[in-house]
Amino acid sequence: MIFDELRPKIQKLIQEQHISVTDRLHQICVLLKEEVAHYDWVGFYFKNGDKKELKLKTYVGAPTDHEIIPFGKGICGQVAESNQNFVVPDVQAQDNYIACSISVKSEIVIPLFKNGENIGQIDIDSNQKDPFTEADERFLEFVNKEAAKML
């Protein structure tokens, strides 16, 4: 399975301490988008200081206007408040969805914790309906756990 092959590559990227944190996060985004067929947009959002909003740190995929997302708005904003994974099989069926692109059909957002605090998240859009499985959730939880080690 592709996720088993990607785990050591993620760990290796995390350990590259001569590369900035932002660049390592970006390399993770690139790796995931290139290697996982149903990952069409991959980005990391983080809490923006003391504000009740998320700020986009890095991403790969189509350009987005959503660099700042208030807590509670869209899928990312809801995850910032709920501290729970959020898988959206069909974005058109979701009331509180912020459209990034007309080609996006589904989304998965996994919170990133550091010392028990939700400090950010990985956000992935897919141009396919309902491609995300429990394996995606477990893998992305692993990615965030590894990413937290360098934050």
Side-chain angles (χ1 to χ4, degrees):
M1 168 174 274
I2 188 70
F3 297 141
D4 291 335
E5 296 169 19
L6 290 175
R7 278 182 170 83
K9 293 178 180 180
I10 295 292
Q11 289 173 316
K12 187 174 190 286
L13 278 173
I14 298 299
Q15 295 169 2
E16 300 280 345
Q17 294 185 0
H18 63 280
I19 301 171
S20 74
V21 169
T22 300
D23 286 346
R24 283 182 276 169
L25 289 171
H26 186 76
Q27 288 179 8
I28 290 169
C29 293
V30 170
L31 180 67
L32 296 183
K33 184 177 183 300
E34 287 179 354
E35 297 294 328
V36 185
H38 57 281
Y39 290 9
D40 295 297
W41 190 97
V42 180
F44 282 96
Y45 283 91
F46 288 93
K47 188 174 178 196
N48 192 10
D50 291 334
K51 299 176 184 174
K52 292 268 189 194
E53 65 184 24
L54 297 164
K55 185 173 183 177
L56 184 60
K57 187 160 190 91
T58 189
Y59 72 97
V60 293
T64 181
D65 293 332
H66 305 290
E67 293 188 17
I68 301 288
I69 299 177
F71 282 17
K73 299 292 181 190
I75 309 308
C76 291
Q78 291 176 75
V79 169
E81 291 184 331
S82 73
N83 300 324
Q84 301 291 317
N85 296 353
F86 200 153
V87 180
V88 181
D90 180 1
V91 295
Q92 289 186 339
Q94 192 66 36
D95 289 340
N96 190 6
Y97 173 70
I98 300 172
C100 291
S101 166
I102 58 169
S103 60
V104 174
K105 304 287 188 257
S106 58
E107 182 174 12
I108 185 170
V109 179
I110 307 295
L112 193 157
F113 296 96
K114 178 78 174 179
N115 300 324
E117 180 187 353
N118 181 352
I119 62 165
Q121 52 200 230
I122 191 168
D123 177 20
I124 298 179
D125 293 340
S126 179
N127 296 341
Q128 302 174 33
K129 274 192 182 177
D130 200 16
F132 302 114
T133 67
E134 186 174 330
D136 290 278
E137 285 190 76
R138 299 298 84 81
F139 173 68
L140 295 171
E141 289 168 351
F142 165 81
V143 169
N144 281 355
K145 188 175 179 182
E146 292 298 309
K149 293 177 181 177
M150 65 180 176
L151 301 173

